[in-house]
């Protein structure tokens, strides 16, 4: 193939039409499932079984939302999920800030090996960790408690949060910390008064990632908790299905209720999260 042909094909692959197609595919793949769930939540059971499929609800109804709250303690599920996600996120940020600072600032002998291990650990499938985690929680008598979920969620979120924060901390000039310590700050004081505030986009990004990871998790929440009063939202939603019935409109309404808090959180902190992801990628 000639150099001209290679150059032409390269320009086509990087051209605007291809980027537009890729953007459309990403938007459809990301938005269509959520939009379909939202539309289904306003349909009746009868309309959902019509053929051909109706895209928009003919007679929108809020009955599914009322039934979702009436059939199951949805507010309790939301509260449990929120508290578990919030506490695990706070613990994750505290530990990952300290770990990232050590990796970014201290002259660790095996820093490269530690970073490689962090990346390797983050690739472990969750199902392979289920039995060891369950046995650990049972030995510690933590089953059917929030702690049984908070601790594993923290461990699962630590690798990615540590990597994100390490990238940010490396971009903070050491002179700022030295100046703070000359003024009387300890190293911990310089960390939390200088480094962390200057890395706010990275901290917000790590926090959002940890929160969403905890909010959406299903397998551990199902395995470690059999107490109905402590069920989280993902586990609670699967209780809507019966032995011979699968009420999709009601389930869709419950899903919408579960999606809204995370969506609102991301919208509020959208700029910080985007800047955190892009800046972290550039620094890394």
């Amino acid at each position: 193939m000639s150099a001209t042909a290679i150059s032409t094909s390269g320009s086509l692959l990087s051209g605007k039409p291809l980027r537009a197609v890729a953007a459309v595919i990403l938007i459809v793949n990301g938005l269509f499932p959520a939009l379909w769930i939202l539309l289904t939540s306003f349909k009746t059971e009868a309309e959902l079984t019509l053929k051909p499929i109706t895209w928009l609800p003919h007679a929108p109804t809020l009955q599914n939302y009322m039934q979702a709250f009436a059939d199951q303690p949805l507010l309790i599920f939301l509260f449990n999920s929120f508290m578990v996600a919030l506490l695990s996120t706070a613990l994750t940020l505290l530990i990952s800030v300290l770990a990232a600072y050590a990796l970014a600032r201290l002259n660790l002998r095996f820093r490269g090996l530690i970073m490689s291990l962090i990346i390797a650990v983050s690739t472990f499938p969750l199902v392979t960790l289920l039995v060891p985690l369950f046995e650990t929680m049972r030995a510690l008598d933590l089953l059917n408690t929030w702690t049984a979920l908070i601790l594993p969620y923290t461990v699962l979120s630590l690798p990615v949060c540590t990597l994100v924060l390490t990238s940010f901390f490396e971009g903070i000039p050491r002179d700022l910390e030295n100046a703070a310590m000359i003024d009387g700050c300890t190293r911990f004081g310089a960390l939390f008064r200088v480094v962390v505030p200057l890395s706010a986009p990275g901290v917000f990004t790590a926090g959002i990632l940890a929160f969403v990871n905890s909010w959406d998790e299903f397998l551990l929440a199902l395995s470690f908790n059999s107490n109905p009063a402590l069920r989280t939202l993902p586990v609670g939603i699967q209780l809507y299905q019966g032995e011979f019935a699968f009420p999709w409109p009601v389930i869709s309404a419950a899903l919408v209720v579960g999606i809204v808090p995370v969506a609102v959180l991301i919208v509020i902190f959208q700029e910080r999260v985007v800047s955190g992801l892009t800046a972290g990628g550039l620094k890394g």
Side-chain angles (χ1 to χ4, degrees):
M1 184 179 291
S2 65
T4 304
I6 294 175
S7 176
T8 302
S9 62
S11 62
L12 289 175
L13 289 174
S14 60
K16 291 183 178 180
L18 185 59
R19 290 199 296 268
V21 171
V24 170
I25 292 175
L26 290 175
I27 291 173
V28 171
N29 182 63
L31 292 182
F32 179 76
L35 180 60
W36 181 252
I37 291 172
L38 177 63
L39 294 175
T40 301
S41 69
F42 293 107
K43 294 180 179 180
T44 62
E45 284 277 1
E47 183 178 353
L48 194 63
T49 58
L50 290 178
K51 292 185 180 180
I53 295 174
T54 59
W55 295 98
L56 297 177
H58 290 165
T61 176
L62 295 175
Q63 180 61 36
N64 296 321
Y65 287 89
M66 292 185 287
Q67 189 172 346
F69 282 95
D71 289 353
Q72 298 291 341
L74 191 56
L75 287 177
I76 293 179
F77 299 156
L78 286 167
F79 176 75
N80 291 334
S81 287
F82 178 77
M83 293 303 298
V84 168
L86 182 65
L87 294 174
S88 64
T89 299
L91 186 58
T92 298
L93 287 179
L94 177 61
I95 298 175
S96 59
V97 161
L98 298 176
Y101 185 78
L103 291 171
R105 288 292 189 263
L106 304 183
N107 296 321
L108 300 178
R109 184 176 180 182
F110 300 105
R111 181 181 183 278
L113 177 61
I114 294 173
M115 296 291 286
S116 299
L117 289 175
I118 291 175
I119 296 174
V121 169
S122 66
T123 63
F124 286 0
L126 181 58
V127 67
T128 63
L129 305 174
L130 178 60
V131 174
L133 286 174
F134 182 87
E135 291 297 331
T136 301
M137 294 303 154
R138 185 171 63 176
L140 296 174
D141 197 24
L142 293 177
L143 294 179
N144 292 318
T145 65
W146 283 351
T147 307
L149 299 179
I150 293 171
L151 295 180
Y153 291 172
T154 299
V155 173
L156 294 174
S157 298
L158 274 176
V160 64
C161 292
T162 301
L163 292 176
V164 169
L165 292 174
T166 299
S167 177
F168 271 87
F169 290 172
E170 288 176 342
I172 305 298
R174 293 176 181 262
D175 293 342
L176 297 176
E177 296 170 63
N178 294 334
M181 287 187 283
I182 290 175
D183 289 339
C185 278
T186 62
R187 182 172 288 275
F188 280 103
L191 168 61
F192 288 104
R193 293 183 181 182
V194 177
V195 178
V196 171
L198 291 176
S199 303
V203 175
F204 275 100
T205 301
I208 294 294
L209 293 174
F211 187 91
V212 173
N213 181 54
S214 301
W215 183 270
D216 292 340
E217 202 284 322
F218 173 79
L219 182 60
L220 298 184
L222 177 66
S223 304
F224 294 174
N225 191 353
S226 59
N227 186 344
L230 296 176
R231 287 193 177 108
T232 57
L233 187 63
V235 177
I237 288 177
Q238 60 97 24
L239 298 176
Y240 286 95
Q241 70 182 61
E243 185 177 359
F244 303 106
F246 211 101
W248 277 114
V250 178
I251 294 175
S252 297
L255 286 171
V256 170
V257 173
I259 292 172
V260 166
V262 176
V264 170
L265 190 66
I266 292 176
V267 168
I268 293 175
F269 299 109
Q270 178 182 4
E271 292 186 4
R272 289 184 177 272
V273 172
V274 172
S275 64
L277 290 173
T278 54
L282 292 174
K283 293 174 184 176

